[in-house]
Amino acid sequence: MDLTTFWFGAIAFLFVGYFVLEGFDFGVGVLMRTFGRDDAERRLLLGTIGPVWDGNEVWLITGAGAMFAAFPHWYATVFSGFYLPMLLILLALIVRGVAIEFRGKRADRAWRGRWDLAILVGSVLPALLWGLVFANIVRGVPLAADHDYAGGLVDLLNPFALLGAAAFGAVFVLHGAVFVALKTTGEVRDRANALAARFGPVAVALLLGFLAWMLGDVRRDPVAVALGIGAAVAAVAALVANRRRREGWAFAGTAAAIGLTVIALFTALYPAVLPSTTDPAGTLTVANAAASPYPLKVMTVVAGVFLPLVLLYQGWTYWVFRRRLSVTR
């Protein structure tokens, strides 16, 4: 395996980690204002992600950094062509982080209500926009022969991308509801389980529709199809496990569904990293988008040293904060 293929796979791995872990963060953030009946329950929901949410965002920072260093042309085209969605994602994540930290600084009801709204907005926007962005990446966008983005905002709002946004957003909410059921006790756990049972079929239907469209029309790749089928089976299995009150298995199912969907997306994309829907010469591939061999070698050595340490630290964090939480009034 050459280094360009290795780093394409490494970036896929980083985004799998990001969407699986940050996905339930987004889901809990979306549910917090509407699912939590009072301030005590909202504090409980925030407490389920409090020790880990900022660590989960490290996956995004690392993934974007790896894309910048390993595939600078891919990074430049994506972050310029998708400038408005990327800017909104960045602003939403900033607002969400500030809201999580500032919410508990005052006991005033109006103060906390405003920050709860900020958490909601800061969770909904990235969940939807990441689906929009990645659906457009796998579908392709108008690119000129020099690989510059040649479209406008309207080109990004195509039906396939909008379905991707809805599927990502819905699955993250389901993932978050299952996580709340896994991390809480008593009435909150029961309601989260019931919410996942009611909303789950909608989320799974949207995911299956997105996968069917992507793998049946947009990108027909046999390996990606197998991965997509695996994602569908995992999603359905998560619903079955949730109905049986097996929250651990349900969470593993939603995590697997998200992870396999992202892997299927990257697999269907390869060897392109950003297809052109207009001029085929404009398509970016792992070959023409990659950095020179020397920085790829340096990155490989650095990643080999530090990535295991990061994984050990984050695994230790989840182990330390593994206990269920209950409402404290």
Side-chain angles (χ1 to χ4, degrees):
M1 179 189 298
D2 58 58
L3 288 179
T4 56
T5 301
F6 170 80
W7 276 103
F8 180 81
I11 290 169
F13 170 75
L14 291 169
F15 276 102
V16 167
Y18 175 65
F19 286 130
V20 168
L21 298 177
E22 188 83 317
F24 69 75
D25 280 359
F26 290 147
V28 173
V30 172
L31 294 173
M32 184 176 159
R33 185 178 174 87
T34 54
F35 180 83
R37 292 176 174 174
D38 54 28
D39 184 66
E41 290 190 358
R42 291 173 185 171
R43 281 189 285 109
L44 174 65
L45 263 62
L46 191 59
T48 63
I49 63 172
V52 297
W53 71 268
D54 47 355
N56 293 342
E57 292 187 351
V58 171
W59 290 82
L60 173 61
I61 297 169
T62 308
M67 185 187 292
F68 171 77
F71 300 100
H73 298 296
W74 185 20
Y75 178 92
T77 302
V78 167
F79 279 79
S80 59
F82 297 71
Y83 181 80
L84 182 57
M86 290 296 192
L87 178 62
L88 290 175
I89 288 172
L90 177 61
L91 292 176
L93 291 177
I94 292 172
V95 168
R96 177 171 165 269
V98 172
I100 290 173
E101 295 295 334
F102 274 52
R103 184 189 185 277
K105 299 300 182 183
R106 290 172 57 183
D108 181 68
R109 182 177 180 180
W111 167 272
R112 293 187 173 182
R114 287 192 292 268
W115 290 121
D116 289 345
L117 179 60
I119 292 172
L120 171 63
V121 174
S123 301
V124 168
L125 274 181
L128 297 175
L129 291 174
W130 279 125
L132 183 82
V133 167
F134 272 86
N136 274 301
I137 287 176
V138 73
R139 172 183 178 270
V141 293
L143 296 176
D146 59 359
H147 310 304
D148 286 340
Y149 182 66
L153 178 61
V154 175
D155 295 287
L156 302 180
L157 302 177
N158 56 82
F160 176 69
L162 294 175
L163 176 60
F168 270 58
V171 171
F172 287 162
V173 172
L174 172 62
H175 196 37
V178 172
F179 182 73
V180 171
L182 176 65
K183 287 289 293 180
T184 58
T185 61
E187 183 188 356
V188 173
R189 176 189 178 187
D190 295 338
R191 285 170 36 223
N193 185 277
L195 175 63
R198 291 194 306 271
F199 182 71
V202 176
V204 171
L206 287 170
L207 178 65
L208 295 184
F210 173 69
L211 288 169
W213 194 344
M214 179 178 77
L215 300 174
D217 183 39
V218 176
R219 298 277 169 233
R220 296 178 180 177
D221 180 276
V223 177
V225 169
L227 291 167
I229 293 172
V233 171
V236 174
L239 297 185
V240 174
N242 179 74
R243 288 190 177 276
R244 295 181 177 179
R245 302 297 299 268
R246 302 295 298 272
E247 289 96 347
W249 286 108
F251 183 75
T254 53
I258 293 169
L260 289 171
T261 297
V262 177
I263 296 172
L265 187 154
F266 275 88
T267 301
L269 193 59
Y270 184 83
V273 293
L274 187 61
S276 173
T277 57
T278 50
D279 187 353
T283 294
L284 282 165
T285 67
V286 292
N288 63 24
S292 59
Y294 180 72
L296 292 178
K297 291 178 182 178
V298 173
M299 289 172 58
T300 303
V301 173
V302 172
V305 173
F306 288 101
L307 183 59
L309 297 177
V310 173
L311 293 175
L312 285 172
Y313 170 75
Q314 192 154 35
W316 175 80
T317 302
Y318 276 91
W319 175 255
V320 169
F321 295 101
R322 67 188 183 278
R323 296 184 183 278
R324 292 181 181 267
L325 305 177
S326 57
V327 175
T328 303
R329 301 188 186 278

